Every structure is written in C-alpha cells, then in structure tokens.
Amino acid sequence: VVINDILQGDITEEEMVAVIELFDPNNDGDVQYSEFRDLFYSISVDQEKERNPAKFSNQDMDDTKLEAEVIPHLMRDEYSELRLSHNRLTDEGAEEISGALSDDKAHLQILDLRFNEIGAEGAIHLGNALGSNVYVTELYFSYNPLGGRGASSLCASLAPTNAGFSSVCVLDLRHCGIDDDGGESMGRSFKGNTALKEISLCGNMLGDKTAAAMAEALQNERCMIHSLNLSNNKIGGRGSKHIGHSIRSNVELKAIILSGNPIGDLGVSSFAER
C-alpha cells in the first residue's frame, strides 16, 4: 500500500515482489522488525555523507557572523563536530544552532560552546533541541552564565522520559553559576539516564540538595556514570554522606571529585565506610 501510494501505482507485480523480497531475506512471507531495521540501517550506512570537524574557536564570532558563516553549513549537515569556544555568542546564537539540531538537519556529534555569553534562554532552546536529537554525544558548555534555570532546562532533555533519544554521554557545565536548586533539578534529570558517562560540574554553587539528587541518580540500577566532578562547590557533610552511601551499590563509578567542598569529618567518614 505504501509503495503504491508513493509510486502512484507505477510498479509492476514482479517489481513489487522484488521489493518485498528485500525486506524478507528468509522468505517466510512476513517482514520482521529486525529484517526491516537491518535493511534500513544498511541503506543509511551506504548513503552516509562525509562530515568534517568545524573549528571556529577564538574567532571573535558574534551571533550575526554565526548566522552568516556557520549555520548554512550546519543546516546542510557538513559538520561532524562544531567548536565555537571563546567567542561572543549569546542566546540568539544558541537559538540558531538549536534550530538546526531540532529539525534533524545537523548530525553533530560534538558541540563545544565554552566561554561564550549564552544565558538561560539559550540553554532552554538547546535543551528543547537535544530532547529529540540522537546524534550529539559530547556537550561542552562551561563558562557560560546559564544559572540554575538554564542548566536545569538544558538537562531536562536528559531525563528518563527522553533517555531513549538523548545520546549525550559527556556533559561539561563547569563555572556556569548553577545554584543548589538548579543542581537538584539536574540531578533528578540524570536519574535513569543510560547514556551519560562523564559529568563535570565544578566551580558552581551546588550544595547538599544537589548532592542528594545526584546520589539518587547514582543509586539507580540503570546509571552508567563513571566520572563525576563536583569540585569547588558548597557540598557539606550531609550531601557527601548521601553520595558516599550511594556509591556502595554503584559498580560503574570510577572517579568522583569533591575537592574544594566543606565536607568535613562526616563526609570523609562516609567515604571511608565505602
């Protein structure tokens, strides 16, 4: 029915049989999902276009220059990675990038936006785009003034309801002005996510509420996080106790950094018990 609709009946019975046979290699008369998937994947691989890394760091690039010189190539899916650190991009630039990602026009794997001027609104746009994007695996966003609202909105795309779609496994949000409420919301988003492997949140204002939410995520049996950097925040003894307790049942976590936090003797003892 679908083939006839597409070709408007311009196909012979012999041609139709040949097409069906492509999707039914074992000739049992049924098209299994696995058969359809394997053929579709092989066609996609055959047609995979060449993409190249695009490096525009330290180019004094603003939103106007981004729209004129980068976005057209991004929309044509020419980049495997996009490096835009140390520029002057704002929320407007983040929205332009989000448009390409959300419309599935760009199959980026790495997006580097460190050291720009992107705030909460830009982070919200990017979060919405990542909710339906299955290509971005590494996201570098440190040294942008996201604040708690921006960071939590960005990470909402990584929540369990979207974990089957999000492919982000490296998340860098260092020095983004994230408060404890925003951190707590982020931690809840991480719970149940099976893609995240490395998270860096150092140099923010995260406290015990964030630590408790992160601990709950670490305790989840689906958690695949193996590196968590929470250094130079405001996590105290209670928060670190939550984390220390959570890693007792976590077999994936290989490194956790809490230096520069006032964890005190209570925090240290909780890890000693581990």
Side-chain angles (χ1 to χ4, degrees):
V1 171
V2 172
I3 294 172
N4 268 317
D5 285 346
I6 294 173
L7 300 178
Q8 298 182 344
D10 188 20
I11 184 172
T12 67
E13 185 174 347
E14 291 77 14
E15 291 171 332
M16 182 71 77
V17 170
V19 169
I20 292 174
E21 286 178 350
L22 286 174
F23 289 92
D24 185 25
N26 64 0
N27 295 312
D28 67 352
D30 292 323
V31 178
Q32 305 298 326
Y33 167 73
S34 59
E35 294 172 334
F36 180 86
R37 177 199 62 202
D38 292 344
L39 179 65
F40 185 82
Y41 179 74
S42 68
I43 292 172
S44 299
V45 170
D46 289 340
Q47 295 179 349
E48 184 72 14
K49 66 190 297 183
E50 182 178 354
R51 300 179 183 86
N52 299 300
K55 300 180 180 179
F56 299 100
S57 299
N58 292 292
Q59 298 292 315
D60 195 34
M61 181 174 292
D62 58 13
D63 298 332
T64 301
K65 191 174 181 181
L66 173 77
E67 183 178 5
E69 300 182 11
V70 177
I71 296 301
H73 298 279
L74 184 59
M75 297 287 280
R76 290 196 294 268
D77 191 23
E78 296 177 3
Y79 301 147
S80 60
E81 59 185 80
L82 183 56
R83 306 275 185 181
L84 290 164
S85 66
H86 297 83
N87 284 298
R88 295 186 290 114
L89 304 179
T90 68
D91 293 344
E92 184 178 341
E95 184 176 1
E96 291 286 343
I97 295 171
S98 302
L101 295 178
S102 60
D103 288 343
D104 199 25
K105 292 185 174 67
H107 295 178
L108 282 178
Q109 295 175 310
I110 300 173
L111 179 59
D112 182 357
L113 293 168
R114 294 171 299 158
F115 291 93
N116 277 284
E117 302 167 15
I118 300 170
E121 297 304 319
I124 291 171
H125 285 298
L126 282 166
N128 291 335
L130 290 172
S132 59
N133 184 283
V134 297
Y135 303 103
V136 175
T137 59
E138 299 181 26
L139 181 61
Y140 301 94
F141 222 125
S142 60
Y143 294 92
N144 279 282
L146 306 184
R149 185 170 73 96
S152 61
S153 296
L154 180 67
C155 292
S157 63
L158 311 179
T161 52
N162 292 319
F165 299 99
S166 173
S167 299
V168 175
C169 55
V170 177
L171 179 64
D172 178 10
L173 292 174
R174 295 168 295 148
H175 300 276
C176 289
I178 307 170
D179 59 16
D180 201 21
D181 289 332
E184 181 184 25
S185 178
M186 290 168 57
R188 289 197 299 265
S189 297
F190 297 154
K191 183 180 178 181
N193 183 289
T194 59
L196 280 169
K197 302 290 189 300
E198 300 179 22
I199 303 174
S200 185
L201 295 167
C202 70
N204 286 291
M205 298 175 287
L206 310 178
D208 289 346
K209 289 193 294 185
T210 299
M214 292 290 180
E216 193 172 348
L218 292 172
Q219 277 185 299
N220 189 280
E221 60 183 10
R222 302 178 66 194
C223 177
M224 293 290 118
I225 297 170
H226 62 69
S227 176
L228 177 61
N229 187 345
L230 293 169
S231 62
N232 298 312
N233 279 284
K234 298 181 179 180
I235 299 171
R238 285 192 306 163
S240 56
K241 185 176 180 180
H242 283 296
I243 294 176
H245 177 74
S246 70
I247 63 176
R248 295 176 189 175
S249 58
N250 187 298
V251 297
E252 297 295 334
L253 191 66
K254 307 302 179 186
I256 181 165
I257 305 174
L258 284 166
S259 58
N261 283 282
I263 65 174
D265 292 341
L266 177 62
V268 172
S269 62
S270 66
F271 285 96
E273 293 171 6
R274 171 67 175 89

